[in-house]
Amino acid sequence: MTDEWQGWREAAEQALYGPGGFYVHPAGPGPSGHFRTSVHASALFAGAVARLLGDVDASLGHPRELALVDVAAGRGELVSAVLAALAPELSARVRAYAVERAPRPAGLDDRVEWLAAPPSGVAGLLFANEWLDNVPVEVAETDAAGAARYVLVRRDGEERLGDPVTGADAEWLARWWPLPRGGGPGLRAEIGRPRDAAWAAAVATLDAGLAVAVDYAHERTARPPFGTLTGFRAGREVRPVPDGTCDITSHVALDACALPGAELLSQREALRRLGVTAGRPPLALASTDPAAYVRALAGAGEAAELTARGGLGDFTWLTQPLPPAV
């Protein structure tokens, strides 16, 4: 029904994950058909995750079984590429999980277990690339008096203001995204409590290792005054309409999600630590090994895209060691 008013959290949940929803429709192309992520941009990203998994393996003393948990796995592109990048000795010990609410895609590597929720009681690396931005949240907007109210939406995307924001949602706003009272109408915020809870629950499934969330994010000192809610369809940013035809996403307050011991860093820095750099190969290589030079040059171009300012390099990595580093 297009005339039914709902909060954005309920409307987006149905549009993304309900029957025939954007992410679960079996005939859909998956995320890669609508927007470009680091996973789709270059195999260098999966190679970096593979090296990170190796670091986790070493930190755990090379256990007999090491978990690789890919949360929001799409069609399994990342987990498949990471498995392909691993050395045989490590690959033999890895137990791979893809966590996604869509059906298992045809042709996926048989080694990958397809689950609707992260497995519990495992040790290893949990990696969530562009997951939390698709955990639906309520949207708040200030009214003429400057008071925060819930934004209600219809299936056709029309909005109106609802009840005042109260209780735990109001407390979250006051702590993590304060909207200045008296600041006038039209200021907006996404209330990130469901994302905080989703991340804490995912982290809790690990007995030991490292959990990583990668998303476009903002910090408390620089929240966007009008929110970030938007839609994507076929590679283009579009008006967010909760009818199942487009992605509905908003940037993440990852500082609110962070648990004790976490580190927040840019994708540029995270990938640099994992050996992904955009340095041009030495020109001398062009004379001694032209094919290698061309490959290295192509790799530098892909690394530049992954680390570019104003692009994929502006993603934030939230890294959460378990147990927390002392």
Side-chain angles (χ1 to χ4, degrees):
M1 296 288 291
T2 60
D3 59 353
E4 181 181 356
W5 295 98
Q6 299 175 301
W8 263 108
R9 183 181 180 187
E10 182 180 1
E13 177 70 27
Q14 288 299 312
L16 297 178
Y17 306 113
F22 181 82
Y23 276 110
V24 300
H25 197 289
S32 64
H34 295 277
F35 44 84
R36 185 174 174 83
T37 73
S38 298
V39 176
H40 309 121
S42 172
L44 292 175
F45 189 79
V49 176
R51 287 191 290 277
L52 183 60
L53 181 62
D55 292 344
V56 172
D57 179 52
S59 73
L60 295 176
H62 309 289
R64 293 179 60 185
E65 182 175 288
L66 183 71
L68 169 61
V69 185
D70 179 11
V71 180
R75 296 298 185 263
E77 297 95 335
L78 178 60
V79 67
S80 298
V82 172
L83 286 174
L86 295 176
E89 186 280 328
L90 179 54
S91 178
R93 292 187 287 110
V94 167
R95 186 167 182 180
Y97 304 89
V99 180
E100 184 56 79
R101 294 168 72 170
R104 181 186 181 99
L108 184 66
D109 192 317
D110 290 339
R111 293 175 294 172
V112 179
E113 297 184 44
W114 193 264
L115 303 174
S120 60
V122 299
L125 174 63
L126 181 145
F127 199 89
N129 187 63
E130 296 195 55
W131 167 48
L132 290 173
D133 65 309
N134 288 129
V135 173
V137 295
E138 297 290 3
V139 178
E141 182 176 321
T142 53
D143 61 16
R149 292 180 175 271
Y150 291 107
V151 177
L152 305 181
V153 64
R154 296 189 311 201
R155 197 168 184 270
D156 62 6
E158 290 300 309
E159 294 182 337
R160 73 179 188 191
L161 296 186
D163 293 335
V165 179
T166 59
D169 284 345
E171 293 172 5
W172 190 93
L173 282 179
R175 180 179 180 186
W176 292 110
W177 197 330
L179 294 170
R181 193 169 183 85
L187 301 177
R188 288 172 70 117
E190 292 101 35
I191 304 173
R193 282 200 316 118
R195 293 169 174 174
D196 298 352
W199 179 242
V203 170
T205 63
L206 281 181
D207 283 349
L210 183 70
V212 179
V214 183
D215 253 303
Y216 276 125
H218 42 64
E219 297 186 358
R220 188 183 186 280
T221 56
R223 304 286 190 225
F226 304 109
T228 63
L229 186 72
T230 191
F232 283 93
R233 182 190 300 117
R236 295 180 179 273
E237 188 171 350
V238 297
R239 176 170 169 252
V241 177
D243 62 358
T245 66
C246 69
D247 181 27
I248 297 172
T249 179
S250 57
H251 296 187
V252 183
L254 278 177
D255 50 348
C257 297
L259 301 169
E263 181 182 17
L264 292 167
L265 65 162
S266 71
Q267 175 152 298
R268 284 183 298 279
E269 175 60 18
L271 291 182
R272 185 195 66 79
R273 293 183 186 182
L274 294 168
V276 178
T277 61
R280 185 185 181 95
L283 285 174
L285 185 62
S287 300
T288 59
D289 192 340
Y293 177 78
V294 170
R295 290 194 299 269
L297 196 62
E302 293 176 7
E305 181 180 4
L306 290 173
T307 59
R309 296 185 183 277
L312 296 175
D314 288 344
F315 274 88
T316 297
W317 286 41
L318 166 59
T319 63
Q320 186 78 55
L322 289 158
V326 178

